[in-house]
Amino acid sequence: QVQLVESGGGLVQAGGSLRLSCAVSGRPLSYYVMGWFRRAPGKEREFVARINWSGGSTDYANPVKGRFTISRDNAKNTVYLQMDSLKPEDTAVYYCAAARSWESTGTGPYDYWGQGTQVTVSS
């Protein structure tokens, strides 16, 4: 059974930074493409960023490009999302997820999900 546990969320002022972590257990992290998604109040869950098995390829949603950085440490079984220059519109519950393929940025390929961590950005 693969488990994902996010941490690092909180309340931050606009322009500030947060670093989210996602600890994976049950199988080696290197088995999976890892993604971050978010769900804002009243909105659908949306793709934020993803990283391939080795960390050599990354992909970002347009609203976060240049501000967010996804990374992974397979030895520590942990994935990170560094979020800089935060905006109020980044307020959401952030989820990490694990997939066995790189085929799309949709939620379809992702088999395992964390419980989410709340990020609130005040103006």
Side-chain angles (χ1 to χ4, degrees):
Q1 183 76 0
V2 178
Q3 292 187 321
L4 288 68
V5 179
E6 302 97 335
S7 61
L11 174 63
V12 64
Q13 288 188 332
S17 298
L18 283 175
R19 188 194 197 201
L20 305 184
S21 298
C22 174
V24 178
S25 61
R27 280 192 177 174
L29 181 62
S30 58
Y31 281 21
Y32 299 104
V33 168
M34 296 300 296
W36 285 96
F37 292 77
R38 67 187 182 186
R39 178 179 283 156
K43 294 188 177 181
E44 299 282 322
R45 188 175 300 192
E46 66 175 1
F47 167 75
V48 174
R50 61 176 177 165
I51 187 166
N52 76 343
W53 300 265
S54 67
S57 291
T58 57
D59 198 6
Y60 296 92
N62 286 335
V64 309
K65 277 182 183 176
R67 300 188 297 120
F68 289 12
T69 304
I70 188 171
S71 62
R72 66 192 293 157
D73 186 336
N74 285 346
K76 294 183 178 180
N77 269 14
T78 303
V79 180
Y80 305 97
L81 185 69
Q82 178 67 41
M83 306 187 295
D84 298 318
S85 301
L86 282 161
K87 303 175 180 179
E89 52 264 44
D90 294 318
T91 295
V93 177
Y94 284 72
Y95 301 88
C96 69
R100 293 304 305 271
S101 78
W102 186 254
E103 65 181 82
S104 89
T105 58
T107 59
Y110 291 86
D111 299 315
Y112 302 101
W113 293 82
Q115 82 289 349
T117 186
Q118 176 71 46
V119 171
T120 302
V121 184
S122 63
S123 56

